[in-house]
Amino acid sequence: MLRIILQIIGVLVLLLGLTLITLRIDNRNADGPSILFPGGALVSGDLHSGPEPNWSFTDDVFTIELQLENPLSSRRIFIMESADKVYVPSGYMRSTLGRLWKDWAFQADEGDGLAVARINGVRYERQLVRVTGESIIAGVANKLAQKYSGGATPETIAQIEKSVADGDTWIFEMAPRGNSR
């Protein structure tokens, strides 16, 4: 009887694994990511042209779709505006899980950082530039705490700043394309 139960559990685990692999492969070429899986190129939506927008509208946006151009892959990610610039974070960077799950951040940092962000249906061509300056991080940490940590208490802001300083969290500016790296 135990053998039959173990066989049934094994078949169910195998089916679940195959289903997840199939969904991930199927989503590779989709117009953007799903909730669980990375997607392909962001192709729908108007392409922004003209002057830099006032990024404060992102205070009301919880996540955006962010696509790297090399390698071509998109995902959902947090966004923060600070000092008229826009930033995206990547956490868990020193963990094994982070190395697997956050490969986009390593690729952006090691490559050219060319990206496309889709926010409220509008696509913005950007260049991801990792930032570490304390004055920049202080403003971004404040916004990150306000938006995603339930409030910008001094303790929460200090914890985020320490996480960035320790290399556990990386912050990227989504700079206009053509800015030097």
Side-chain angles (χ1 to χ4, degrees):
M1 181 67 171
L2 179 62
R3 183 176 173 185
I4 293 172
I5 291 172
L6 290 175
Q7 286 176 341
I8 291 171
I9 290 172
V11 168
L12 291 175
V13 168
L14 178 64
L15 287 174
L16 176 63
L18 288 174
T19 301
L20 291 174
I21 290 169
T22 302
L23 289 171
R24 182 174 177 114
I25 290 170
D26 189 46
N27 205 61
R28 265 190 332 210
N29 298 317
D31 178 16
S34 71
I35 292 173
L36 290 177
F37 301 109
L42 302 177
V43 294
S44 65
D46 294 332
L47 186 61
H48 175 78
S49 61
E52 272 295 282
N54 176 347
W55 292 108
S56 64
F57 78 92
T58 62
D59 288 350
D60 298 324
V61 176
F62 192 72
T63 60
I64 64 167
E65 295 170 304
L66 180 68
Q67 168 211 313
L68 287 186
E69 291 200 358
N70 188 18
L72 187 63
S73 178
S74 59
R75 74 255 335 119
R76 292 187 186 276
I77 191 164
F78 293 158
I79 184 170
M80 300 86 56
E81 177 274 335
S82 177
D84 300 323
K85 294 182 180 179
V86 67
Y87 301 89
V88 294
S90 184
Y92 310 105
M93 297 307 296
R94 293 190 324 161
S95 70
T96 302
L97 176 62
R99 280 228 170 250
L100 296 172
W101 182 30
K102 305 291 185 140
D103 60 338
W104 71 267
F106 292 100
Q107 293 162 345
D109 192 45
E110 294 165 1
D112 59 16
L114 295 180
V116 174
R118 185 164 51 197
I119 308 168
N120 295 336
V122 177
R123 294 177 297 141
Y124 300 86
E125 293 182 317
R126 311 307 291 174
Q127 184 170 19
L128 298 179
V129 179
R130 187 171 171 203
V131 294
T132 56
E134 288 183 24
S135 62
I136 294 171
I137 297 304
V140 173
N142 184 8
K143 188 60 71 94
L144 187 60
Q146 284 176 20
K147 226 175 144 176
Y148 300 106
S149 296
T153 65
E155 296 81 18
T156 304
I157 294 169
Q159 183 180 14
I160 293 169
E161 289 173 338
K162 182 178 181 336
S163 179
V164 172
D166 291 347
D168 292 324
T169 299
W170 292 3
I171 304 293
F172 291 90
E173 178 187 350
M174 288 195 333
R177 285 212 182 163
N179 283 8
S180 60
R181 290 192 61 137

